[in-house]
């Protein structure tokens, strides 16, 4: 938004990304790119204020206790997580109170965003009953849809919309790419990663093992979609689709803003940290990473992919390709 060189036409997002998406849209309506930056700032500052009130730092208490015995600080998060797994949010929070709902209502004019959408928004949630991704778009983009997209199973009750129940969208699409392969969407697709794809070392401590398991779990759906995208692109490049099929196949230029360097030392526990200073540090790292990406890849936007999907994400691993008869 600050650079001003890119025009975002569509966003597909899950969980906190879905909140960013609706704040982005609302801000664009209020005041263009600067309005978007302002809305995002307003939202996350409200999250920090609410976090100080509603989110007692149980993990921090346990970390302090365990640190006195020489045990890593992330172990406090592990203990808090273990306690969450033996109790239910339906018991801990029977009224299903969620301060995020009020923050979103105060920050985003959802009715206007639906009525005058400045860009297409696709919000992902996971249907608890079917396990499939549900994409809320257009008139479906409501505060309930965004809350559903961020409903972690051990933290919040499943969000109920039109008789169905939903958990965090990251389980089924993190983020889902298929809504952006529509013919009407731009041909340049920029993937913004929050979880590191690769790590250099094999984790050996309980904290590191848990952290890497979380990363792999939430990256799995994205990697699967990238694999399918790479396969489809290979079919087009190798002329294995007929002329009739080709007009229905969209060739994408893929770009990637990686989090491996900026967030690699962040643990799973950090995802529950709502301290303002920490959020501002994340914003600073994200801004620096985006700036570096613009410097390196700006010339490729609109011309060609700036990332090789096979090399960057799949490391050349692919199933044998068989040409259709």
């Amino acid at each position: 938004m600050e650079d001003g060189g890119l025009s975002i036409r569509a966003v597909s997002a899950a969980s906190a990304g879905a909140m960013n998406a609706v704040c982005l849209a609302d801000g664009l309506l209020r005041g263009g790119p600067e309005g978007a930056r302002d809305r995002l700032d307003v939202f996350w500052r409200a999250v920090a204020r609410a976090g100080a009130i509603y989110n007692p730092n149980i993990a921090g208490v346990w970390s302090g206790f365990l640190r006195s015995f020489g045990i890593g600080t992330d172990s406090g998060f592990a203990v808090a997580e273990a306690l969450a797994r033996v109790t239910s949010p339906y018991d801990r929070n029977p009224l299903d109170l969620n301060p995020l709902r009020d923050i979103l209502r105060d920050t985003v004019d959802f009715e206007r965003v639906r009525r005058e959408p400045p860009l297409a928004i696709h919000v992902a949630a996971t249907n608890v009953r079917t396990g499939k991704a549900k994409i809320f778009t257009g008139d479906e983009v409501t505060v309930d849809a965004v809350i559903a997209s961020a409903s972690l199973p051990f933290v919040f009750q499943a969000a109920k919309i039109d008789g169905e129940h939903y958990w965090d969208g990251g389980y089924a699409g993190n983020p889902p790419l298929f809504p952006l392969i529509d013919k009407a969407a731009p041909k340049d697709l920029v993937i913004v990663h929050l979880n590191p794809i690769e790590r250099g070392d094999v984790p050996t401590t309980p904290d590191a093992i848990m952290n890497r398991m979380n990363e792999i779990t939430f990256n799995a759906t994205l990697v699967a979609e990238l694999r399918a995208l790479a396969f489809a692109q290979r079919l087009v490049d190798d002329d294995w689709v007929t002329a009739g099929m080709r007009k229905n196949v969209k060739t994408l230029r893929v770009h990637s803003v990686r989090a491996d360097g900026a967030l690699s030392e962040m643990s799973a526990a950090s995802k529950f940290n709502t301290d303002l200073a920490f959020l501002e540090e994340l914003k600073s790292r994200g801004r620096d990473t985006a700036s570096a990406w613009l410097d390196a890849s700006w010339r490729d936007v609109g011309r060609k992919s700036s990332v090789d999907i096979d090399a960057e994400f799949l490391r050349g691993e692919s199933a044998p390709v068989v040409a259709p008869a």
Side-chain angles (χ1 to χ4, degrees):
M1 292 293 99
E2 178 183 346
D3 179 80
L6 287 176
S7 175
I8 302 174
R9 294 266 306 280
V11 176
S12 179
S15 201
M19 299 180 190
N20 282 338
V22 294
C23 290
L24 172 72
D26 180 271
L28 287 172
L29 288 171
R30 291 173 187 261
E34 284 305 307
R37 296 178 68 216
D38 177 70
R39 275 298 95 180
L40 287 163
D41 190 72
V42 167
F43 173 77
W44 287 106
R45 287 180 181 276
V47 168
R49 289 194 298 272
I53 299 172
Y54 293 102
N55 185 28
N57 192 3
I58 298 174
V61 172
W62 278 102
S63 291
F65 174 74
L66 295 171
R67 191 164 44 241
S68 65
F69 292 92
I71 300 175
T73 56
D74 278 351
S75 297
F77 170 72
V79 172
E81 186 178 50
L83 290 173
R85 290 178 183 270
V86 296
T87 61
S88 165
Y90 293 86
D91 297 326
R92 296 192 307 271
N93 185 11
L95 298 180
D96 196 23
L97 301 177
N98 189 339
L100 278 173
R101 188 184 302 276
D102 293 332
I103 293 172
L104 283 166
R105 283 174 174 162
D106 291 342
T107 307
V108 177
D109 185 343
F110 280 90
E111 182 179 348
R112 187 181 180 193
V113 167
R114 291 191 298 270
R115 186 178 66 249
E116 309 169 34
L119 72 171
I121 299 175
H122 308 284
V123 172
T126 303
N127 188 304
V128 178
R129 183 178 59 83
T130 66
K132 297 178 180 179
K134 164 64 179 177
I135 308 300
F136 297 95
T137 190
D139 290 341
E140 298 175 319
V141 178
T142 64
V143 66
D144 290 335
V146 177
I147 288 295
S149 184
S151 292
L152 288 169
F154 290 104
V155 180
F156 302 108
Q157 295 185 23
K160 186 177 181 180
I161 301 176
D162 295 334
E164 293 284 1
H165 291 81
Y166 298 96
W167 280 335
D168 193 289
Y171 293 108
N174 197 32
L177 302 183
F178 65 87
L180 302 178
I181 304 178
D182 184 86
K183 280 285 187 180
K187 290 186 177 181
D188 283 275
L189 173 65
V190 181
I191 305 170
V192 181
H193 302 266
L194 297 186
N195 293 306
I197 299 289
E198 295 185 4
R199 285 191 178 271
D201 301 323
V202 175
T204 57
T205 66
D207 295 340
I209 290 171
M210 179 183 299
N211 189 41
R212 189 57 181 152
M213 285 175 59
N214 274 289
E215 289 174 353
I216 291 172
T217 298
F218 279 99
N219 279 330
T221 54
L222 175 61
V223 170
E225 282 201 85
L226 286 169
R227 188 181 298 276
L229 185 61
F231 177 73
Q233 190 64 60
R234 200 176 300 131
L235 290 178
V236 174
D237 293 342
D238 293 346
D239 293 325
W240 284 352
V241 294
T242 66
M245 294 171 59
R246 187 180 296 276
K247 66 182 181 181
N248 294 317
V249 176
K250 180 177 179 177
T251 301
L252 287 174
R253 295 181 290 262
V254 181
H255 313 279
S256 171
V257 183
R258 295 280 291 269
D260 298 43
L263 301 177
S264 59
E265 85 277 16
M266 299 289 184
S267 68
S270 68
K271 297 177 187 289
F272 290 87
N273 187 347
T274 57
D275 291 341
L276 181 59
F278 179 71
L279 295 180
E280 289 179 334
E281 172 65 15
L282 289 180
K283 176 183 176 181
S284 177
R285 294 189 187 201
R287 186 182 180 281
D288 290 344
T289 302
S291 180
W293 176 79
L294 285 169
D295 289 342
S297 303
W298 171 249
R299 66 182 70 89
D300 294 325
V301 176
R303 296 177 57 247
K304 64 178 182 178
S305 292
S306 59
V307 60
D308 184 327
I309 297 177
D310 277 329
E312 291 292 324
F313 304 113
L314 311 181
R315 299 188 64 84
E317 300 172 6
S318 60
V321 176
V322 180

